[in-house]
Amino acid sequence: MGIETENPNEDNVQTAVECVDDEEKKETNKKDDEQLTVEQIFEKKEKVPSWKKQLTVRAFVVSFLLSVMFAFIVMKLNLTTGIIPSLNVAAGLLGFFFVKTWTKLLERSGMLKQTFTRQENTVIQTCVVASSGIAFSGGFGGYLFAMSERIVHQSDKNSLDYKNPGLGWIIGFLFVVSFLGLFSLVPLRKVFFLNLLLSSKSALTEGTSLEYRVDVLLASKCGTWGVWVVGQVMIIDFKLTYPSGTATAHLINSFHTPEGAKLAKKQVRELGKYFSISFLWSFFQWFFTASDDCGFNKFPTFGLKAFQNKFYFDFSATYVGVGMICPHIVNVSLLVGGILSWGIMWPLIETRKGHWYSATLDPDDIQGLRGYKVFIAIAMILGDGLYNFIKVLSQTVSGLHSKFQEKKTMHLPVAESDCPSPAKNPLSYDDQRRTELFLKDQIPTRLAIAGYVAIAAIATATLPHIFHQLKWYYIIVIYIFAPVLAFCNAFGCGLTDWSLASTYGKLAIFTIGAWAGASHGGVLAGLAACGVMMNIVSTASDIMQDFKTGYMTLASPRSMFVSQVIGTAMGCVISPCVFWIFYKAFPDIGLSTSQYPAPYAIVYYEMAKLGVEGFSALPKECLNLCYAFFAASITINLIRDALGKKRSWFIPLPMAMAIPFFLGSYFAIDMCVGSLILYIWQKKNRASADALAPAVASGLICGDGIWALPSSILALAGVKPPICMKFLSGGTE
């Protein structure tokens, strides 16, 4: 009788077979995932939360903290050069990092109730961008500060027509004008509703794509459309790209995939490292700035003569970072403008002292050399703005016409057939899913219209009390045209990613200022009207960008709208408070010799003065030079567009060239250094540069920007740096 024994290798063989099966399953799943679309992958992993669950307390706490940080950064950029790059990467990364860290801690303690989703990430992004956007559209470095005595007296020392900043009236003004842009597109809804209804009626009988079927179903069931009706037209029906909103959506979507999360960790690590380096470097520089013209930021890199003509590297981590974000052509254009103005033109005009302007005038007198610097720059800015306004407007009209034509001819009935014709371009699964959810949540139209009318009424009654020069009928005229201009700006932004909010603001300066006249405070009326118009059109384009981001991340339009409202409210309080800290901490803010010269404030004031008084304010021969540079600005743009993108890479941008005309080249040199760093990095490792350069640049900008808070506190406390590092010529005692 034999004894039965076990095969000692049997378990091992079975285990090996199971491992092979597991590997094959993993490989199969991996291949399946690669074949799946973005929304199919996310649908397998998570359910889309309701719009209320997308609005979490932690999201708004993080949004508030980031809003304060970005308000300081944007304010510093506003008050130094006025060049503000996109900080979407930094906002998205930091929002993801903070909430992800918080949820991990709660998960370990077993207290996590809701996972962190991409929809919540989008809500944070929207709230932060809305809040920090007020720091720009609020005009703290432009039209609003241009009303102050400090700026007015640089142009006209005898003028009494000014309004100094006050924390109370600034907050009130922003609350009155900033929210209207969220509702400004609603008055146009009927035009598009009728167009869509006609298209949908034929579509129901002849066949059409998913978005129309869902659209008509919801319209018939609910009977109400939301504030985003025009957004639906632009995003779903016209399929406008909104490049910034699309890029932000891709960024957020990538964060919430395993591979994207790993990259996000690397990006956050790089951002944190360079944030620390930038902050500590700013802190170190502070010790050497005991008085004016002291410190590393006054280092005569190319010699004292070049330093006098604003050619030097000022060791600013902020503008090195900005240079890494801005396209190379922008940085080179700034440098070309600095060389043309401070290297050639101003020295030549200075030789005409005593002929073209009085030799006894102060260097900062607007009737002297500074007048040429400011007004020639204004001529280039207006020439560039006019060209791009006409260009974008023509593209908008052309785009609208072609889109409507496409809607009319998109679906043709099949002859002698009762069957509906198939869609010419059937929607992908991702587009179907996104469209379905984008059209799901509704904001009642009555609420949207009531909001627009109520805010317009409050503004019409309130603004004349803040600015007595701005009459109530001026405001009504602005609000009549605002929805149309807001639509044009939002549509043009969707096509070109270029918001012309400041251009529409300048249009209001000239029209309202000229209407009011010099004897009735036309300068201040024009500047206040600029603020009203700029806030409306800027907010309208911003919310469309946000809707595009929400569309691609499946965030509810309702949660996006609520987030935009809360972010705007935050910005209306945070931004004025941050400006007030700068204003009180640095008494020389706005002066050309200051650390914070607010260059665009004098530009906006002179524009308003020009619109009211005409060309009489210009120095001798300045008008002829302005004509020449206005024409040159348009000509350069024409040449750039005629050559096309591939062949116009070496032609500078007139708008960028104009900025150093009155400010100098020091920041342009910083930005070119940043551009050079990026160029070398891309040559050595393109993939690494594309993945990590935005995070590195954001870290440099954020670290230096945040240093403005402790430096302001130290200045308010009367704490002065202990050392003055200054450079003098050898013959100076």
Side-chain angles (χ1 to χ4, degrees), residues 106 112 215 227 288 342 357 449 459 491 528 538 541 616 725-726:
L106 288 179
L112 183 63
D215 189 1
V227 68
F288 301 91
W342 290 85
Y357 61 95
I449 295 178
F491 192 95
S538 177
S541 63
S616 60
M725 184 174 71
K726 199 169 187 177

Side-chain angles (χ1 to χ4, degrees), residues 603-633:
V603 168
Y604 272 92
Y605 179 77
E606 293 300 339
M607 281 185 188
K609 192 175 177 182
L610 197 65
V612 173
E613 298 179 3
F615 298 122
S616 60
L618 300 180
K620 186 180 179 182
E621 302 298 335
C622 187
L623 181 59
N624 292 330
L625 289 171
C626 287
Y627 283 146
F629 279 89
F630 182 87
S633 181

Side-chain angles (χ1 to χ4, degrees), residues 115-425:
T115 57
F116 181 42
T117 63
R118 55 189 175 134
Q119 290 79 27
E120 189 178 356
N121 206 156
T122 305
V123 165
I124 295 172
Q125 179 87 13
T126 301
C127 191
V128 174
V129 170
S131 179
S132 58
I134 300 295
F136 165 71
S137 61
F140 300 101
Y143 66 83
L144 191 143
F145 192 43
M147 303 176 188
S148 67
E149 181 182 5
R150 194 171 300 168
I151 299 299
V152 171
H153 283 180
Q154 289 182 48
S155 177
D156 185 357
K157 293 182 179 179
N158 298 318
S159 176
L160 299 175
D161 195 17
Y162 57 80
K163 187 174 183 65
N164 282 320
L167 190 58
W169 75 257
I170 293 175
I171 292 175
F173 170 73
L174 290 177
F175 264 106
V176 168
V177 301
S178 297
F179 289 93
L180 201 70
L182 302 178
F183 302 93
S184 61
L185 297 180
V186 176
L188 293 177
R189 56 185 276 281
K190 289 188 178 180
V191 176
F192 294 100
F193 178 75
L194 289 174
N195 176 270
L196 291 176
L197 188 60
L198 290 172
S199 301
S200 303
K201 185 177 178 181
S202 61
L204 289 173
T205 57
E206 298 169 0
T208 188
S209 55
L210 172 79
E211 66 263 36
Y212 274 86
R213 292 200 299 272
V214 176
D215 189 1
V216 175
L217 177 64
L218 287 174
S220 62
K221 294 287 185 183
C222 303
T224 57
W225 283 48
V227 68
W228 65 90
V229 170
V230 179
Q232 176 195 319
V233 173
M234 295 183 185
I235 293 169
I236 295 178
D237 299 312
F238 288 171
K239 293 180 173 60
L240 297 183
T241 55
Y242 285 99
S244 292
T246 301
T248 304
H250 285 308
L251 185 74
I252 292 173
N253 282 336
S254 72
F255 288 163
H256 294 267
T257 61
E259 295 79 8
K262 290 178 183 177
L263 178 59
K265 286 180 181 178
K266 290 181 182 178
Q267 291 173 326
V268 168
R269 194 181 303 118
E270 292 299 309
L271 190 151
K273 180 168 73 175
Y274 284 93
F275 177 97
S276 303
I277 291 171
S278 177
F279 183 87
L280 293 173
W281 171 241
S282 299
F283 179 44
F284 175 74
Q285 286 188 85
W286 176 81
F287 284 96
F288 301 91
T289 56
S291 63
D292 294 337
D293 295 327
C294 294
F296 285 91
N297 62 342
K298 300 295 182 182
F299 187 89
T301 321
F302 308 111
L304 289 170
K305 186 65 177 176
F307 177 79
Q308 291 171 4
N309 286 298
K310 305 288 187 178
F311 281 96
Y312 57 94
F313 178 67
D314 76 342
F315 295 91
S316 169
T318 292
Y319 286 102
V320 172
V322 171
M324 293 178 70
I325 292 176
C326 290
H328 297 306
I329 187 61
V330 171
N331 302 326
V332 173
S333 300
L334 289 166
L335 189 58
V336 169
I339 293 170
L340 177 64
S341 55
W342 290 85
I344 300 173
M345 289 173 54
W346 307 154
L348 287 175
I349 293 176
E350 201 166 8
T351 62
R352 305 302 298 164
K353 184 189 294 186
H355 299 280
W356 286 8
Y357 61 95
S358 174
T360 60
L361 288 174
D362 187 89
D364 288 333
D365 197 302
I366 205 70
Q367 293 296 323
L369 181 60
R370 194 178 187 196
Y372 294 90
K373 297 175 183 177
V374 172
F375 286 112
I376 291 174
I378 289 174
M380 288 197 75
I381 290 170
L382 290 178
D384 186 89
L386 178 64
Y387 178 86
N388 284 293
F389 173 74
I390 295 172
K391 175 184 170 182
V392 173
L393 189 63
S394 62
Q395 289 176 341
T396 299
V397 173
S398 175
L400 274 171
H401 180 264
S402 63
K403 294 294 183 181
F404 282 130
Q405 289 299 112
E406 286 175 14
K407 289 299 176 188
K408 290 179 181 179
T409 60
M410 185 181 293
H411 308 290
L412 297 175
V414 179
E416 299 180 359
S417 174
D418 294 331
C419 299
S421 62
K424 184 179 179 181
N425 294 311

Side-chain angles (χ1 to χ4, degrees), residues 364-658:
D364 288 333
D365 197 302
I366 205 70
Q367 293 296 323
L369 181 60
R370 194 178 187 196
Y372 294 90
K373 297 175 183 177
V374 172
F375 286 112
I376 291 174
I378 289 174
M380 288 197 75
I381 290 170
L382 290 178
D384 186 89
L386 178 64
Y387 178 86
N388 284 293
F389 173 74
I390 295 172
K391 175 184 170 182
V392 173
L393 189 63
S394 62
Q395 289 176 341
T396 299
V397 173
S398 175
L400 274 171
H401 180 264
S402 63
K403 294 294 183 181
F404 282 130
Q405 289 299 112
E406 286 175 14
K407 289 299 176 188
K408 290 179 181 179
T409 60
M410 185 181 293
H411 308 290
L412 297 175
V414 179
E416 299 180 359
S417 174
D418 294 331
C419 299
S421 62
K424 184 179 179 181
N425 294 311
L427 289 176
S428 66
Y429 176 82
D430 283 4
D431 284 336
Q432 291 182 33
R433 179 82 171 138
R434 290 165 180 169
T435 300
E436 178 186 355
L437 290 177
F438 189 79
L439 295 170
K440 182 181 177 182
D441 293 324
Q442 299 284 313
I443 295 176
T445 308
R446 287 171 293 181
L447 176 63
I449 295 178
Y452 185 87
V453 173
I455 294 172
I458 292 169
T460 304
T462 305
L463 288 176
H465 292 284
I466 300 175
F467 306 103
H468 63 84
Q469 300 89 347
L470 190 66
K471 305 302 181 184
W472 62 269
Y473 42 88
Y474 300 159
I475 301 168
I476 290 176
V477 170
I478 291 172
Y479 286 163
I480 289 172
F481 288 99
V484 178
L485 297 179
F487 172 80
C488 291
N489 191 48
F491 192 95
C493 193
L495 288 173
T496 64
D497 204 32
W498 198 329
S499 174
L500 296 177
S502 59
T503 302
Y504 290 110
K506 295 180 184 79
L507 185 65
I509 286 179
F510 289 115
T511 52
I512 300 300
W515 185 5
S519 59
H520 295 90
V523 173
L524 287 191
L527 291 170
C530 172
V532 176
M533 182 64 75
M534 194 169 164
N535 275 280
I536 292 172
V537 296
S538 177
T539 306
S541 63
D542 287 347
I543 197 171
M544 289 301 132
Q545 292 275 17
D546 291 335
F547 279 150
K548 181 68 175 184
T549 303
Y551 170 74
M552 296 186 67
T553 59
L554 302 191
S556 165
R558 188 176 292 185
S559 68
M560 299 290 289
F561 183 77
V562 172
S563 178
Q564 185 89 17
V565 169
I566 293 173
T568 302
M570 286 182 185
C572 290
V573 177
I574 293 171
S575 293
C577 291
V578 170
F579 172 74
W580 199 247
I581 291 172
F582 278 91
Y583 187 69
K584 289 298 183 181
F586 304 100
D588 61 346
I589 189 173
L591 301 179
S592 59
T593 55
S594 171
Q595 180 184 355
Y596 300 103
Y600 273 102
I602 189 69
V603 168
Y604 272 92
Y605 179 77
E606 293 300 339
M607 281 185 188
K609 192 175 177 182
L610 197 65
V612 173
E613 298 179 3
F615 298 122
S616 60
L618 300 180
K620 186 180 179 182
E621 302 298 335
C622 187
L623 181 59
N624 292 330
L625 289 171
C626 287
Y627 283 146
F629 279 89
F630 182 87
S633 181
I634 294 175
T635 304
I636 291 170
N637 275 304
L638 282 169
I639 294 171
R640 282 184 58 83
D641 286 342
L643 290 176
K645 289 184 178 180
K646 289 184 178 179
R647 291 182 292 175
S648 64
W649 60 268
F650 61 91
I651 300 177
L653 302 168
M655 180 72 80
M657 288 175 64

